Amino acid sequence: MGHPVRGSRCIFWGAVLLALCAVTAGAQQSWQSQLGPVALEARQIHASVNVITLGEGMHRVYVFLPAEPALKGKAPFVFFHHGWQGMNPKNYGALIDHLAREGNVVVFPVYQDADSTSPQIVVGNTVQAEREALAELQRRGIVPDPQRVVYFGYSMGAAISLKLAATIASTHLPAPQALVLAAPGDSYHVAKGEEAKSIWPVLQDLPTTLPIAIVAGEDDKAIGLPTGRKLAGLICATKADRRVLVVMPGDEHEGKKVGAGHGSPGAPDSRYDIDLATPLAKVPTHIEGRKGFEESASLNQLDFFGYWKVLDAVIDSLVAATSTSARYVPPAIVFRSGTPGQLYLGTWPDGTPYRQAHVEDPCVVQ
């Protein structure tokens, strides 16, 4: 004889599981449409990008301006601090293009001219370059909206961003309303001896209300992940809803692999290939927009659903109020502990979900 009660339970839980799968699939489809490449393109309301280039060698700075339509007056700014020897904006061109075409002024100081540049002078070089860029922009009628200033730093650029954020009183640069730090590093990762002395500031000098999003790849075991964990453990004074360490996983599916190493934040675009040796007169002044994104092994869901998602969400969150305001609302898709949208990293071409990100909080005693 059968077991009608047991059979009924099996039917019930089978229906529940089917419903849960349907809900999950629906949620994933929603996040895919909200955060994926199509959604990113929809944010790009400017048809092209103008380029201002100032200075030579380690003192050079590029300014990428939204064009068609052009900007005037107050504008959101992203101060983009690249990694060691990342002087060519090509390495980050797809992200720079996305940021500019969605309406941000992107300031990209070169700060070094070779691997032999001392890490101990890069912060000073950055300050000088950014001041010159701001002066030139002011002459053109463009100034930072103090409510919408973000410092983005990758690897060594994260150390520069931290230092600048903690020393605004002396640099007289626009104060950041948030920091987004990808695969953070420091001097000792690129130099030895006295040159390797940390350029991090006293982290207690950072405002406790300053949102700090740290994002690192799980395979970045020599630089970004251990340094990100160290940094996250040193900013526990920052308000709990304004600090986060998000760890991006690698994944493999049907013979295709996405790595989550130190270079995973890279997003190349050949239109932004500007070698430091290029004379000022030959640097492009205008970059036409394109449909879609240039194919690259370095441009994948860790960018679209990871690094870019975090940066866009942080920028968007500042529209309503500065991060120092009681009215500021940290974006839940960034500053939470394990919400589905925060962890979602897209799908493989056949719809198979990519591995989820995870959040670590060394400030919470287990």
Side-chain angles (χ1 to χ4, degrees), residues 90 94 268-272 290-297 299:
K90 173 186 175 181
D269 188 318
S270 57
R271 294 173 300 158
Y272 287 79
R290 70 163 357 126
K291 179 70 175 175
F293 302 93
E294 185 173 305
E295 290 292 327
S296 168
L299 187 62

Side-chain angles (χ1 to χ4, degrees), residues 25-54:
Q28 289 180 349
Q29 187 174 13
S30 175
W31 296 322
Q32 187 79 20
S33 63
Q34 292 177 43
L35 305 171
V38 173
L40 290 168
E41 279 195 86
R43 294 173 61 96
Q44 297 172 357
I45 59 175
H46 296 265
S48 60
V49 178
N50 287 335
V51 185
I52 301 171
T53 307
L54 305 169

Side-chain angles (χ1 to χ4, degrees), residues 148-312:
R148 294 185 291 165
V149 174
V150 173
Y151 288 4
F152 172 78
Y154 162 60
S155 195
M156 179 63 79
I160 293 172
S161 296
L162 285 166
K163 185 69 172 181
L164 295 180
T167 55
I168 287 300
S170 60
T171 65
H172 304 293
L173 293 171
Q177 293 303 308
L179 301 181
V180 177
L181 309 176
D186 199 358
S187 300
Y188 58 84
H189 293 118
V190 299
K192 296 180 180 179
E194 285 298 312
E195 300 299 310
K197 182 180 178 181
S198 176
I199 64 170
W200 282 15
V202 176
L203 294 173
Q204 287 77 8
D205 291 342
L206 294 170
T208 58
T209 57
L210 180 67
I212 304 175
I214 307 164
V215 191
E218 70 175 10
D219 301 324
D220 187 4
K221 296 177 181 177
I223 301 177
L225 186 54
T227 311
R229 286 169 170 162
K230 173 185 173 183
L231 175 58
L234 292 172
I235 59 170
C236 295
T238 299
K239 292 185 65 175
D241 65 347
R242 302 187 188 197
R243 54 174 168 78
V244 71
L245 169 58
V246 183
V247 181
M248 300 291 176
D251 200 1
E252 190 169 359
H253 181 67
E254 294 187 344
K256 294 184 178 180
K257 186 175 182 179
V258 172
H262 192 61
S264 62
D269 188 318
S270 57
R271 294 173 300 158
Y272 287 79
D273 188 2
I274 311 171
D275 189 87
L276 191 55
T278 306
L280 287 176
K282 293 188 176 181
V283 175
T285 59
H286 184 79
I287 298 175
E288 289 291 341
R290 70 163 357 126
K291 179 70 175 175
F293 302 93
E294 185 173 305
E295 290 292 327
S296 168
S298 297
L299 187 62
N300 49 52
Q301 49 258 70
L302 293 187
D303 299 292
F304 300 142
F305 298 97
Y307 302 107
W308 296 22
K309 173 179 75 178
V310 170
L311 189 49
D312 274 346

Side-chain angles (χ1 to χ4, degrees), residues 85-97:
Q85 294 209 83
M87 299 90 80
N88 191 330
K90 173 186 175 181
N91 301 317
Y92 322 92
L95 176 54
I96 293 170
D97 189 73

